């Protein structure tokens, strides 16, 4: 009877963890679920790490991600399930590795398998996965302002490690029935580590209460009613895109003029603000140069330029920056087009230029989902990063919140001009200065007085070292298990041979 009750309670952990899983990612994200779900699933596996239980956890992870990412991954049915299946598999793998490898270790080492496996998989995925860091566990803790500061030291790998370590440490203590004499050493090590992390995060927030030098920046987004039909167009349907973009150039100049009258010194537009064929680009740039010179501002024009032989030759999704002298500073082509976007892949480096107030950089939308790419802005000591972007309702506000992680990691202030989404401005600590949700207002201009001095961040300089260190640490644990298994097998073979003799 007792065995049956235990079995029911075991599967209760799986059931509750599976219910919480859809709330730990995607559009239904709840920060507490992102921690509770793996705690319960790990408990289910550690009590009896059989292949049947591992299969149940894997199915739960894949199914939960297929449900949670609805509307957020714009792909056809089979492609959608392939992508969400991959995301779910990557989420399940650290739990399965922990179930198989953790019994080989005791003490505090037993708690390190899961966090090291999770961080290593997320790092590898961010380098190889076409969707970058989408689905990363650290994003679930966006609302923890203090923990965000930890990003400036060790980036998302450091934050993910601390979250995952709590999951495995709690399960380890649970296995020992929370008996203090058995978990004392592990508890002290974990507590000291977290305390140090909190002190470092808090220390970063300490700064004198003096007025910071700033510059007024304006982000311009398209009229929702006029621009929304673009979402119904296939990007390869040039005629459809062109029809719904016609006349927006004058509209953006009109809104830019209003921004200048309100004191903006730097003005930039949302991603794909205006769609032009190649023959129209020169005239549009002349208008932009005249406007910037007349108003004495820095102007960022975000354009989608279509070649004559499109889609055989891909479009250019870019932002062109113009100085107050009317001279073109340069152009930046989107470096990471989303999968399926018919745009050329741009340069390998973040674009930046110097102004009288600050060093200003620029990236476009999806580029911000790749931390190793944006780290270049941190190393270049960019003070302000301005990001033209275009989202849709299902990924709002998550995608804008993800961009804030890059600001804290690299120590720059951020402004994201988002068509069909949440435009947002933050300082280098991730503190929101202003925001504009296009689904909740008819306003088209977001203003912010952005700090012109960056905040020092360690992560841009040691990011690669952090990534490699986590992966090497996990491999060391995996190799140790392999060697112990090999020794055990050899010992068993010797014993069997002696018995046969």
């Amino acid at each position: 009877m007792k065995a049956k009750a235990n079995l029911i309670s075991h599967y209760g952990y799986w059931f509750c963890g599976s219910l919480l899983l859809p709330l730990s990612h995607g559009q239904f994200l709840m920060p507490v679920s992102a921690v509770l779900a793996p705690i319960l699933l790990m408990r289910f596996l550690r009590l009896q790490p059989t292949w049947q239980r591992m299969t149940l956890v894997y199915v739960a992870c894949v199914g939960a991600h297929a449900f949670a990412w609805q509307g957020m991954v714009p792909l056809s049915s089979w492609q959608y399930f392939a992508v969400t299946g991959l995301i779910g598999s990557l989420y399940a793998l650290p739990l399965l590795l922990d179930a198989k490898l953790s019994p080989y270790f005791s003490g505090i080492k037993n708690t390190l398998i899961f966090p090291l496996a999770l961080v290593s998989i997320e790092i590898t995925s961010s380098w190889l996965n076409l969707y970058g860091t989408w689905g990363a566990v650290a994003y679930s803790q966006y609302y923890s302002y203090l923990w965000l500061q930890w990003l400036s030291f060790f980036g998302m790998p450091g934050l993910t490690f601390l979250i995952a370590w709590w999951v495995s440490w709690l399960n380890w203590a649970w296995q020992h029935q929370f008996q203090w004499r058995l978990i004392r050493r592990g508890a002290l090590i974990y507590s000291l580590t977290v305390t140090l992390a909190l002190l470092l995060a808090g220390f970063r927030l300490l700064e004198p209460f003096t007025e910071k030098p700033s510059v007024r920046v304006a982000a311009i987004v398209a009229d929702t009613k006029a621009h929304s039909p673009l979402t119904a167009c296939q990007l390869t349907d040039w005629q459809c895109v062109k029809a719904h973009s016609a006349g927006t150039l004058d509209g953006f100049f009109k809104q830019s003029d209003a921004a200048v009258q309100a004191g903006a010194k730097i003005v930039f537009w949302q991603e794909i603000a205006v769609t032009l064929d190649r023959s129209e680009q020169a005239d549009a740039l002349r208008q932009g140069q005249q406007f910037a010179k007349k108003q004495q501002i820095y102007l960022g024009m975000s354009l989608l330029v279509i070649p004559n032989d499109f889609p055989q030759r891909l479009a250019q999704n870019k932002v062109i920056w113009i100085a107050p002298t009317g001279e073109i500073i340069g152009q930046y082509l989107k470096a990471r087009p989303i999968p399926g976007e018919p745009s050329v892949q741009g340069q390998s480096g973040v674009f930046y230029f110097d102004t009288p107030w600050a060093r200003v950089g620029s990236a476009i939308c999806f580029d911000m989902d790749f931390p190793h790419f944006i780290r270049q802005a941190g190393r270049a000591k960019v003070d302000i990063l301005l990001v033209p972007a275009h989202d849709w309702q299902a990924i709002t506000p998550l995608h804008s919140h993800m961009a804030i992680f890059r600001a804290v990691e690299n120590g720059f202030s951020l402004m994201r001009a988002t068509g069909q989404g949440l435009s947002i401005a933050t300082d280098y600590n991730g503190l929101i200065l202003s925001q504009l949700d296009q689904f909740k207002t008819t306003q088209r201009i977001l203003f912010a007085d952005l700090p012109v001095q960056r905040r020092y961040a360690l992560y841009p300089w040691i990011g690669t070292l952090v990534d490699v260190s986590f992966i090497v640490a996990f491999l060391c644990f995996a190799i140790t298990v392999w060697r112990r298994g090999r020794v055990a097998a050899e010992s068993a073979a010797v014993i069997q041979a002696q018995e046969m003799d």
Side-chain angles (χ1 to χ4, degrees), residues 440-497:
K440 297 179 181 180
T441 180
T442 58
Q443 295 180 25
R444 293 183 55 188
I445 308 175
L446 176 70
F447 293 100
D449 295 317
L450 297 179
V452 297
Q453 295 177 349
R454 60 179 282 104
R455 181 82 163 172
Y456 182 77
L458 181 64
Y459 182 63
W461 308 99
I462 67 168
T464 301
L465 177 62
V466 169
D467 291 353
V468 173
S469 298
F470 276 116
I471 293 174
V472 169
F474 173 70
L475 289 177
C476 288
F477 273 87
I479 291 171
T480 300
V481 170
W482 175 76
R483 292 179 62 182
R484 289 179 179 179
R486 185 177 177 183
V487 170
E490 291 175 351
S491 299
V494 170
I495 293 173
Q496 185 178 10

Side-chain angles (χ1 to χ4, degrees), residues 389-438:
H390 194 288
D391 291 341
W392 55 95
Q393 194 158 12
I395 63 173
T396 302
L398 176 60
H399 204 196
S400 292
H401 290 168
M402 289 166 61
I404 295 175
F405 279 61
R406 306 291 87 78
V408 183
E409 287 170 355
N410 295 281
F412 51 65
S413 296
L414 169 75
M415 196 165 191
R416 189 176 191 264
T418 312
Q420 300 292 300
L422 177 68
S423 295
I424 200 164
T426 75
D427 68 4
Y428 38 68
N429 290 330
L431 178 66
I432 296 177
L433 304 176
S434 61
Q435 56 185 333
L436 186 156
D437 190 336
Q438 214 174 0

Side-chain angles (χ1 to χ4, degrees), residues 189-455:
I189 293 173
Y190 178 80
S191 299
L192 287 173
T193 303
V194 173
T195 301
L196 177 60
L198 286 171
L199 288 173
L200 283 173
F203 176 76
R204 190 172 187 271
L205 291 175
L206 295 177
E207 53 183 324
F209 291 97
T210 56
E211 188 175 348
K212 305 182 187 76
S214 62
V215 60
R216 173 154 288 200
V217 183
I220 314 295
V221 296
D223 179 81
T224 307
K225 293 180 180 178
H227 217 62
S228 58
L230 272 172
T231 58
C233 296
Q234 293 291 330
L235 286 178
T236 52
D237 186 348
W238 161 228
Q239 296 302 326
C240 178
V241 173
K242 173 98 172 173
H244 291 304
S245 181
T248 57
L249 185 62
D250 290 340
F252 273 93
F253 279 125
K254 181 179 179 180
Q255 294 298 321
S256 298
D257 184 66
V260 173
Q261 301 310 313
K265 301 298 182 183
I266 304 174
V267 178
F268 72 109
W269 304 345
Q270 70 162 73
E271 181 185 13
I272 315 180
V274 182
T275 304
L276 305 168
D277 59 44
R278 191 175 296 277
S279 63
E280 298 172 312
Q281 179 181 218
D283 182 62
L285 290 181
R286 275 194 297 271
Q287 293 183 56
Q289 290 174 284
Q290 292 169 2
F291 181 85
K293 186 174 182 179
K294 177 183 177 181
Q295 303 291 355
Q296 288 295 288
I297 62 161
Y298 287 87
L299 177 65
M301 300 175 64
S302 301
L303 308 174
L304 181 67
V305 180
I306 309 291
N308 295 331
D309 52 354
F310 180 83
Q312 286 73 30
R313 196 150 51 114
L314 299 178
Q316 292 184 336
N317 185 348
K318 60 187 178 181
V319 56
I320 300 173
W321 282 98
I322 303 172
T325 60
E327 296 178 357
I328 294 177
I329 300 171
Q331 69 173 12
Y332 172 82
L333 273 70
K334 191 174 185 178
R336 297 289 191 277
I338 63 173
E341 178 182 338
S343 301
V344 297
Q345 185 171 357
Q347 54 262 60
S348 58
V350 172
F351 176 79
Y352 62 89
F353 56 94
D354 291 316
T355 72
W357 312 282
R359 174 164 288 182
V360 176
S362 202
I364 297 178
C365 198
F366 201 56
D367 298 341
M368 298 295 287
D369 301 337
F370 297 83
H372 57 274
F373 176 73
I374 300 299
R375 282 204 300 263
Q376 297 175 78
R379 291 194 296 270
K381 299 183 178 179
V382 166
D383 300 298
I384 297 172
L385 192 72
L386 304 178
V387 183
H390 194 288
D391 291 341
W392 55 95
Q393 194 158 12
I395 63 173
T396 302
L398 176 60
H399 204 196
S400 292
H401 290 168
M402 289 166 61
I404 295 175
F405 279 61
R406 306 291 87 78
V408 183
E409 287 170 355
N410 295 281
F412 51 65
S413 296
L414 169 75
M415 196 165 191
R416 189 176 191 264
T418 312
Q420 300 292 300
L422 177 68
S423 295
I424 200 164
T426 75
D427 68 4
Y428 38 68
N429 290 330
L431 178 66
I432 296 177
L433 304 176
S434 61
Q435 56 185 333
L436 186 156
D437 190 336
Q438 214 174 0
F439 297 107
K440 297 179 181 180
T441 180
T442 58
Q443 295 180 25
R444 293 183 55 188
I445 308 175
L446 176 70
F447 293 100
D449 295 317
L450 297 179
V452 297
Q453 295 177 349
R454 60 179 282 104
R455 181 82 163 172

Side-chain angles (χ1 to χ4, degrees), residues 122 135-142 148 151 155-157 159-160 163 405:
E122 285 196 351
V137 170
Y139 289 133
S140 67
Q141 304 306 307
Y142 158 76
L148 281 183
L151 298 169
M156 289 215 307
L159 181 54
T160 298
I163 297 169
F405 279 61

